[in-house]
Amino acid sequence: MDPKKFLETMEADLRKFDQEIQRLAEKMERAGTEMKADLEVQMKSLQMKRDEAQKQLSGLKEKSEGAWEELRGGMETAWHDLRQSIDKAVERFK
C-alpha cells in the first residue's frame, strides 16, 4: 500500500476509534458508582493508547518515504493495541 493511501486509511480508522471511545464514555457515565470507578481507569488507559496512535500517525506524516517504512511497523502496533483495548472495553460494558 502506498504511504498516502495507508495514512488515509489510518486517519479514517482513528475517527472510527474516536467515535467508539465516545460511545464508551457515554455508557460509562450511566454506569453505577462501583463500576464507573473501574471503567474510568480503563478509559484513561484507552485514551493514552489513542493518543499514542495519534502521535505515531503524526510522526508518520512527517517522515520521508524511506523512514516511513521503518515507522509503519510502530504505527501498526499502536493501532493493534488500540483496537484490542477498545474491544476489551466494549466487552466490559455489555
Side-chain angles (χ1 to χ4, degrees), residues 74-87:
M75 179 73 219
E76 289 173 338
T77 298
W79 242 239
H80 178 73
D81 289 348
L82 180 56
R83 175 79 266 156
Q84 282 187 320
S85 295
I86 289 173
D87 291 346

Side-chain angles (χ1 to χ4, degrees), residues 7-54:
L7 290 173
E8 288 172 358
T9 300
M10 294 295 102
E11 288 172 340
D13 285 349
L14 191 59
R15 286 189 297 274
K16 289 177 190 174
F17 291 155
D18 286 343
Q19 290 172 349
E20 289 181 65
I21 291 169
Q22 181 60 39
R23 282 193 294 274
L24 289 170
E26 290 167 3
K27 286 183 180 182
M28 183 188 72
E29 288 300 318
R30 295 188 301 266
T33 306
E34 281 183 38
M35 186 177 206
K36 187 175 181 178
D38 183 44
L39 295 173
E40 283 177 345
V41 171
Q42 191 172 7
M43 286 298 290
K44 284 180 185 177
S45 174
L46 185 58
Q47 190 61 45
M48 286 178 13
K49 288 182 182 192
R50 186 263 177 230
D51 291 346
E52 178 60 27
Q54 177 65 55

